[in-house]
Amino acid sequence: MMTNKVNKQWGGRFSESTDAFVQAFTGSVDFDQRMYAEDIAGSLAHAEMLFTQGILTEEDFNLIKEGLAAVKAEIEAGHFPWSIELEDVHMNIESSLTEKIGIAGKRLHTGRSRNDQVATDIRLWLRNQLDRIDAELKRLQQGILSVAEKEHDTIMPGFTHLQVAQPITFGHHLMAWFEMIKRDRERFQDCRKRLNISPLGAAALAGTTYPIDRHLTASLLGFSAPSENSLDSVSDRDFAIEFTADAAILAMHLSRFSEELVLWATPAFDFINLPDRFCTGSSIMPQKKNPDVPELVRGKTGRVYGHLFSLLTLMKSQPLAYNKDNQEDKEPLFDTVDTILGSVRAFADMIPAISSKKENMYARTKLGFATATDLADYLVRKGMPFRNAHEVVGNAVRLGVETRRDLSEMELAELQQFSDLIAEDVFDYLTLEGSVAARNHHGGTAPKQVLAAIERAKAMI
């Protein structure tokens, strides 16, 4: 089946209309219409440059401005007649503009191709989304800091291999999350700097014969500079891949946070209160309180990873310059943005609402001989080589396992059977409070160091 007309924007050399299936298969307006604001902004900047350069008359320029404003209002009111026959957001807007203002609308595309137009739109769109993501990440950081400050001296077990390792504070653990998010923000900010280059004016691939001013359009659109090579300008999608790679790392971080929240909320750990509004129940088991928000965020990590691989594969064998393959960049990119924004927003809402079950955390910390390293360090300070101290403490731990007692619960005489260097002051180091307080250095878990880290973080954000 053929459609009833040839596309007027590009169909002059064609002798027959596009097959209806091909038209639907190759069209992108169903998903790229979300870039309408960026497309209109790019067209306004291009029109202003054409007028400044004497390529457009003032009358045509004013008509284009008025027409694009009317098109934007129509779209935002939900009344715009999107057409698959016009393929994409760009041609839909241009066609509507021409219907509204006549021949002046046809002059807008002078010195421009859809290739540099779409490359400009997608950079503008992603730049806006990066700003939204950054705002949500900052809000998440603020939420982490608020809980960390309240929990700066709450003792909990620190784990390696998911086994109790050493005592830490809950605030210190939360500040580890903060550092991960800080790196994520820095990566996205760095990505934004690299994508903030204007491809507008590169035209199809070789530039244009018109006396355009690419520095002007770059400035009007808030880009730091125009791109340097017209071939690269229209075919580059590195910025989309870089963003998705950064998003994959962020998703991995959120998945790790989620895993800990899910574990901590189980009766086996019972470390935190997760508010009901972030949980759901079971259709058959009335006692259940399921941590669905962190579980879902953890699950969404896989789709972000998939989008990264999709974009890398999309670009891996494309010759310069633009190819139709590049239409496939938008859906993975759009979904990555939506997924990341939703996940970060969920965490930014949820994290400030969690609280610790201090007694449970404290009790679990005492179960795994968490101060064993402190005893070894104590012996080293008394002059014993560390490897010898390691063996002495291992013997003491074996006694604790056999008698089901923590090191701090043993009698002095019992500990002294393992080394005569052990004296009464050993118990200052075997308490959980003494253990965390002793790590009183930059980056350590001592409560005063946690508070100092929080103050530095507040100043940073």
Side-chain angles (χ1 to χ4, degrees), residues 67 141 143 157 277 294 296 307 327 330 352 359 367:
Q141 286 182 312
R277 63 185 179 275
L296 189 57
H307 293 325
Q327 182 172 296
K330 295 170 193 62
E359 298 81 5
L367 292 179

Side-chain angles (χ1 to χ4, degrees), residues 86-111:
L86 293 170
E87 296 185 31
D88 56 30
V89 59
H90 325 293
M91 292 171 65
N92 269 265
I93 289 174
E94 183 181 330
S95 176
S96 178
L97 175 68
T98 301
E99 287 179 7
K100 293 181 188 308
I101 68 172
I103 196 168
K106 295 184 177 183
R107 294 193 174 104
L108 173 61
H109 208 55
T110 304

Side-chain angles (χ1 to χ4, degrees), residues 258 261-262 274 278 291-299 347 350:
S258 297
L261 291 174
V262 170
L274 198 59
F278 299 105
D292 279 13
V293 169
E295 286 180 348
L296 189 57
V297 169
R298 184 177 61 187
F347 261 71
M350 179 175 59

Side-chain angles (χ1 to χ4, degrees), residues 123-403:
R123 284 175 183 261
L124 288 172
W125 182 85
L126 184 54
R127 189 179 69 187
N128 292 337
Q129 303 312 307
L130 277 166
D131 291 342
R132 293 178 65 199
I133 290 169
D134 186 71
E136 287 298 311
L137 286 172
K138 180 178 178 180
R139 194 164 68 89
L140 173 55
Q141 286 182 312
Q142 291 168 331
I144 291 172
L145 290 178
S146 69
V147 182
E149 193 163 24
K150 288 185 291 187
E151 307 282 1
H152 74 280
D153 59 354
T154 299
I155 291 175
M156 71 174 292
F159 298 93
T160 61
H161 307 277
L162 207 54
Q163 306 295 313
V164 173
Q166 293 177 321
I168 60 170
T169 64
F170 188 31
H172 190 60
H173 191 114
L174 290 165
M175 289 304 292
W177 290 1
F178 180 91
E179 291 298 314
M180 294 157 80
I181 296 299
K182 181 175 76 172
R183 293 193 296 273
D184 290 318
R185 284 189 74 190
E186 289 170 350
R187 271 186 284 269
F188 283 129
Q189 289 163 1
D190 198 45
C191 174
R192 191 189 190 281
K193 292 176 186 176
R194 251 185 301 283
L195 77 80
N196 200 34
I197 300 295
S198 174
L200 192 57
L205 78 162
T208 177
T209 59
Y210 295 97
I212 62 173
D213 184 347
R214 296 190 63 214
H215 289 276
L216 175 58
T217 50
S219 176
L220 290 171
L221 292 169
F223 288 115
S224 59
S227 56
E228 291 292 331
N229 182 281
S230 59
L231 277 170
D232 181 60
S233 300
V234 297
S235 58
D236 169 41
R237 293 299 183 271
D238 289 1
F239 62 91
I241 295 171
E242 181 178 356
F243 165 77
T244 311
D246 295 344
I249 296 173
L250 170 59
M252 176 268 292
H253 286 157
L254 294 179
S255 183
R256 294 181 70 184
F257 301 173
S258 297
E259 178 71 7
E260 291 187 317
L261 291 174
V262 170
L263 286 173
W264 294 345
T266 63
F269 279 77
D270 204 20
F271 281 2
I272 61 169
N273 288 301
L274 198 59
D276 289 353
R277 63 185 179 275
F278 299 105
C279 303
T280 63
S282 166
S283 62
I284 189 172
M285 295 170 285
Q287 84 282 9
K288 292 294 294 299
K289 178 181 174 181
N290 300 324
D292 279 13
V293 169
E295 286 180 348
L296 189 57
V297 169
R298 184 177 61 187
K300 286 181 179 293
T301 303
R303 72 194 287 161
V304 177
Y305 289 1
H307 293 325
L308 172 59
F309 193 74
S310 174
L311 289 173
L312 286 167
T313 305
L314 173 69
M315 300 303 300
K316 77 175 183 65
S317 56
Q318 283 198 41
L320 293 172
Y322 182 84
N323 300 278
K324 187 66 170 177
D325 312 44
N326 283 355
Q327 182 172 296
E328 290 294 300
D329 65 353
K330 295 170 193 62
E331 288 177 289
L333 182 62
F334 292 165
D335 189 69
T336 298
V337 167
D338 293 343
T339 301
I340 288 298
L341 270 172
S343 298
V344 177
R345 177 182 174 181
F347 261 71
D349 291 343
M350 179 175 59
I351 293 302
I354 67 173
S355 60
S356 69
K357 297 183 178 181
K358 300 179 190 292
E359 298 81 5
N360 293 348
M361 284 186 168
Y362 193 91
R364 298 302 192 281
T365 311
K366 295 184 72 173
L367 292 179
F369 303 98
T371 58
T373 306
D374 297 88
L375 178 55
D377 291 341
Y378 169 86
L379 291 170
V380 169
R381 283 191 294 270
K382 295 275 188 172
M384 183 180 293
F386 181 79
R387 285 302 172 198
N388 292 39
H390 189 286
E391 182 178 359
V392 166
V393 177
N395 291 329
V397 167
R398 187 190 310 148
L399 175 62
V401 171
E402 292 169 354
T403 61

